[in-house]
Amino acid sequence: MGIGTFIKNLFGSAKESAETLTDTAKETYESAKENAAPILVKAEILADEVIEKVSEYSEKATVVIEEVVESVKENAAPIIEKAEVFANEAKVKVEEGIVAAKEKINELVNNSTHESKKDAE
């Protein structure tokens, strides 16, 4: 019977220790939950403020980007037009140069042909 009593006491005290540990854990959890509540509220408020600021800056950045794009379009339009005029003028001059070169080549060929005929006579 001494062993039976010993085992009952052992398991009984283990049960009491487990219950005490469970109660302590519950109390610690509740205390941590209560202490964390204000921190969580502050974190939520801070997150809302950050979201609001990011939203404000995002809107401002969008407006600024749109203005920059519009300004670039306005400033680039005359430059693009000038480049097109220059390209067209260059094309005309190249075409004129090609025509002149063809005429000169034909003239040289014709002169060579006439001189060859004279030499042959």
Side-chain angles (χ1 to χ4, degrees):
M1 289 227 303
I3 293 178
T5 306
F6 172 74
I7 291 176
K8 281 184 184 181
N9 287 339
L10 181 63
F11 284 115
S13 66
K15 182 180 175 184
E16 287 175 13
S17 295
E19 287 174 358
T20 303
L21 184 58
T22 301
D23 291 341
T24 303
K26 284 181 184 178
E27 290 171 8
T28 302
Y29 170 75
E30 289 300 322
S31 174
K33 188 174 155 182
E34 288 174 15
N35 290 333
I39 296 170
L40 293 175
V41 169
K42 286 180 184 178
E44 187 176 331
I45 291 169
L46 181 61
D48 289 341
E49 289 174 359
V50 168
I51 290 169
E52 184 178 328
K53 291 288 184 191
V54 167
S55 177
E56 287 176 24
Y57 288 121
S58 175
E59 291 171 12
K60 289 177 184 176
T62 301
V63 169
V64 168
I65 289 170
E66 288 172 354
E67 289 173 356
V68 167
V69 168
E70 195 59 37
S71 175
V72 167
K73 285 180 184 178
E74 289 173 4
N75 291 326
I79 295 169
I80 291 170
E81 288 175 20
K82 287 179 183 177
E84 288 174 354
V85 168
F86 177 77
N88 287 333
E89 289 174 356
K91 179 182 172 187
V92 168
K93 289 188 184 212
V94 168
E95 288 172 350
E96 290 172 353
I98 290 171
V99 168
K102 283 181 182 179
E103 289 174 357
K104 192 71 167 176
I105 291 170
N106 286 335
E107 184 182 314
L108 290 173
V109 168
N110 288 336
N111 288 342
S112 295
T113 306
H114 289 298
E115 287 179 17
S116 296
K117 285 182 184 177
K118 284 183 183 178
D119 288 340
E121 293 175 356

